[in-house]
Amino acid sequence: FQPCQPCCDGSGRYARPGRHVPLVWKPVPSVCCAMPTSSHAAGDLPAGNHGTVSTLLVDHHDSYVYNLYDMLTQLNGVVPTLLQAPDLPREPAALSELLEGFDAVVLSPGPGTPLRDEDIGGTLKLIKAAAAMAMPLLGICLGHQALAFALGAEVRRCPQGPVHGRRTYVTLEAGTANDALFKGVPHRFLATRYHSLGVHLTPGMEDGVEALAWSDLDGELMALRVRSVPHYGLQFHPESVGTGVGWRLIQNFRDLAVASRGPRRRSVVTGLGVNLASRVPLSFPAPLATETSAASSPFALEPRLRCVLSELQGLADIGSEALFQAILGKDDDSYLPYRPVFWLDSSSGLMPGFTGRFSFLGGGKLLDGDDTWCLLRFDAVARCVSAEGPGARDTLTRLVPGSTICGEGVLRCSLPAHVSFFEALEGEMESLRRRMLPEPGPAEEAPFDFLTGAVGFFGYGLGFTEPLCGGHGSADCALGDVATGEDAVWLLSARAVAVDHVLGKVWAIDRREASTRVETGSPAWAAKLRADVLASPSVKLGDSAASVAAAQGTELHELLAKEGPQAYRENVARCLTEILDGNSYELCLTTEWRSAPGLRVQEPLDAVYRRLRRLSPSPYALFFAWKRDAALLGSSPERFLTVSSDGEASTRPIKGTRPRGDTPEDDKRLAEDLQTCEKDLAENLMILDLVRNDLAQVAEPGTVVVRRSAKGLPAVVESYAVHQLVATAVAKLRPEVTPLKAAGALFPPGSMTGAPKLRSMEILHRLEGRPRGAYAGASGYISAGRRALDLCVNIRTLVVDSGEVRLGTGGAVIALSDVHDEAEEMAVKSRAPRQALGGADMASSRPTWTVNGKEPSALLETMLWNAEEGGSIFLGRRHHDRMRRSALELGFPAPPPLKDWEAAARAKSDGAEKLRLRLCLGRDGRVSFSATVLPASLGAVVDAARRPRVIIDRLPAMRSGDGLLRHKTTLRSVYDGARRRNGCCELAPPSHGTPQIDGEWATWALEGLSRSGGGSEEAPFDVVLFNERLEVCETSIANIAIEGVGGPNMPLLTPPLSSGLLGGTLREQLLEEGFLTESVITVADLAAAAAAGRRILCMNSVRGAYEVQLVGLSQQDSGSGPISRL
């Protein structure tokens, strides 16, 4: 995307401290200083004829460094030399000799801190050597912090917390616009930031260092210049797609390097003992020329091949499910063949607007007569490739030339550690492509690239074990802990069926030896296949019968979470600590669901899949069964990598999720919220920058492009079973990079790791404590007829092995994440796959939440109905959303629509102006309504003398990690106990009383009046609850807020949900309107506010917002209360 710049349009909104507000994304007018688009090469920028600029690019283990590499290549006219920071020499003489070969130095971003040698390597000494030579140097993010630290500045945590993936405004100091680096840059611009640490210039540094720019969001230093030498630091990321002035800044640095250099420096550095090519863009052997003679080919004696397409007339209308049943070779759901079978299912026939045009089916009955098919399995720890099927021996011979093949039935051989399985499998595909004869006619003109080849998956663990992959070489992960023993499974076959959902055509694809006779070749096989399909009972019954059979199910298959909600939230909190420490920008945390011990899937797996595809249709859905009881059943919406036959690579990362709404209005509102939520936009932007970096390793320079929507947005909402925020990046692969080698370079998917990739993978493996297996890897096809592949990310995928089911699910954790929201998002993503295993009943496959072994029997909502407001419930939509979220997470049925709530209130009003409406939703789905007439004066302002009196609890009754505190349920003992413990008054209900639910006391009061159990009017009205960290949470009946030290004109401060509290609907509304802002409030903060006379407010949706007075402070200050304990 091209972000709007103030020089073009000054109307952009930005987030002020403590608030998350929607960002404005707009297309950039042509006059804006933004990065070049696909139609503008770097040379289109005003540059002049400066020749090439030789740059040393120092990499601090970052996953955005190749974005810088690509920019420098385009602007400098020559590729930079990329060197990892730990590989830098430490001796001054060696550093000086190294630098003599360059015109400039760029220090990359990276995780960690310049205070740790393992993070910064030899960079600090390199800075001193560059200063001694007056060589231009640009430090970015961690490089900026290293430069400042080397000069004597402090590097410390940002006071307002990490800023990762967020676009904030940067303002230049007066006069900075005249600086060489900021020439032509607007005085105020948007930039993307990725840092949890910041630079603080210590007193006395101003003589040697000049501050050039500051952040409008939090006042952090964003740019500096060393006065004596051309050394600059940028805290923001100029290479991010969200920093519109990035290209201008790097161009200016290039010009500065040209102006600063003297005689041409030596271009070759020798004799240093340094591996300068330690991380050059991935290089591969050049592909074999197409004119290679048969005599020179290592497979010269193997027959030539021909791929033939035959349209199967009359099959387009029978339906995908019935066609799949016929290809399986069975007439009912009682038998799944041992032979592998696949269905790459776009599901485009189920819902309009999907991107999937083609579905591909194969294996099963199509393997009859195919004497070349082979099933490959790879054990990454043992480096063992096993193969079975009639083509097993020939395939292994080509896959691992010179290896010893052993075994009978299932053949095995070893793959050398230095050879990636991706490369080995690509070698087999390339051997087939070299033998393929060009075929005029349908095969040559086929609208799809899959002209037979391989279908299967790569497991996530290959990212650690295989050369060229993102986590390869990690010292923190033992191979036995990251791999499963079945880390890749691929079916190689010569036949498939393609379904074109747009044109309504079905094709048979057959790869045969070119010498095959016509009467036994492809046309004859296609005719027989068509006849067999039409005669199949499944086809005669059609899709409707197949759907009914799949929907019936045989039994509920329960999945149990590996870790409960509390443990998952604790892992989210650990991720936030790693982010706060600067070790990662984003961590894609996952957990796993498994079959109950001893439980195996009894019904046929294809029936489970057909149920899944109807519950969660997706453009990258698949069914791949390689054994009777082993399969992938996926409904993935995310593309990992597509490589077309013309060499264009495309990836579509997904980050940001919302559930679907109950009504079209709800659905639209949720989608719009996702499109504008700063947290989700930051998640998506971080991964988008990461996949751009990965593509730049294998792409032609300057060809990595982000495709934007018509509105100029970097990511758009796509809606399947859930709403998703999707971005798209494309690139042109270098000629020597084959599809599978590109896939290996991008693997594992960045959307499943976080950024930086390697450091994030290590952290996640430590936290999760298990191999992910096929989950979070990639699956799809590799074409033998064309140099192409199409792989999706294995999410929303059931993995079945020996009948046992595993389901991985999770989400991205960033600095803006909330531990409870992350747990809720994880539950939302797991819903459809779990439901597919249990038919229509979800309850028993949900996690169980208890307090002291007691499970909540009902969900509650207490609301205000007002006849004067058209007979509506005050904040009714927020109440309904809260109960719906609780029902999803706690395993309750969905609540009735909001209109039913309001209808019940009207029926019970009997002419009253105001009602207190109570809704109770039981686990069995039963709903009860009760209503109490309220006086019209409820919520009126009372004078200071009659303000309700509140007291601070004597004990820390709340727990910050207790997820049940975020749900309004019948488990109210923590609140009842606090009221009794502190002698609070009884809340006065109307004289005619109100029904009680599980002992819950009424959550309202009338006009601030109360009566105590013993008749004392001095009894406190309410009690303030706090957690184990002495952080204020809420009162027993309301949320709480205090006036900050900034005075009455600033938003009031209210505790965040992470302290452990119920998010009230009125609190949510006031936060959104800007009257409140979240901030941790300690017990001491609350007491100080009361002592200083600052306002203390309580609020709930029935009573409204009302001021209270804090009492009992003298006793607490004398040593018996929580303030003294603090």
Side-chain angles (χ1 to χ4, degrees), residues 111-112 116 157 162 164 196-197 571-587 759-760 762-764 766-767 813:
R116 280 202 302 258
R157 286 183 175 179
H164 291 149
S196 58
L197 308 178
N571 267 350
V572 173
R574 294 184 182 102
C575 289
L576 290 172
T577 299
E578 295 284 354
I579 291 170
L580 190 65
D581 290 340
N583 295 324
S584 179
Y585 315 134
E586 178 172 358
L587 290 165
R759 184 71 62 90
S760 297
E762 293 172 341
I763 294 170
L764 291 168
R766 185 172 70 248
L767 293 178
V813 181

Side-chain angles (χ1 to χ4, degrees), residues 320-328 341-343 361 606 610 623:
S320 297
E321 291 191 9
L323 182 61
F324 177 57
Q325 286 287 89
I327 288 177
L328 271 177
V341 63
F342 66 83
W343 181 8
L361 306 92
D606 62 299
R610 297 201 309 277
F623 176 81

Side-chain angles (χ1 to χ4, degrees), residues 766-828:
R766 185 172 70 248
L767 293 178
E768 294 173 3
R770 73 179 197 287
R772 291 183 176 180
Y775 171 65
S779 57
Y781 75 73
I782 310 157
S783 178
R786 293 177 181 172
R787 189 180 268 197
L789 59 72
D790 194 357
L791 302 174
C792 71
V793 181
N794 291 339
I795 55 176
R796 322 283 200 276
T797 298
L798 296 168
V799 182
V800 185
D801 185 12
S802 300
E804 181 186 32
V805 183
R806 300 192 309 275
L807 169 66
T809 185
V813 181
I814 67 171
L816 298 177
S817 293
D818 176 87
V819 293
H820 302 283
D821 288 342
E822 293 302 325
E824 181 178 319
E825 180 179 328
M826 181 268 291
V828 167

Side-chain angles (χ1 to χ4, degrees), residues 538-551:
S538 301
V539 170
K540 291 179 179 179
L541 291 173
D543 259 6
S544 59
S547 301
V548 169

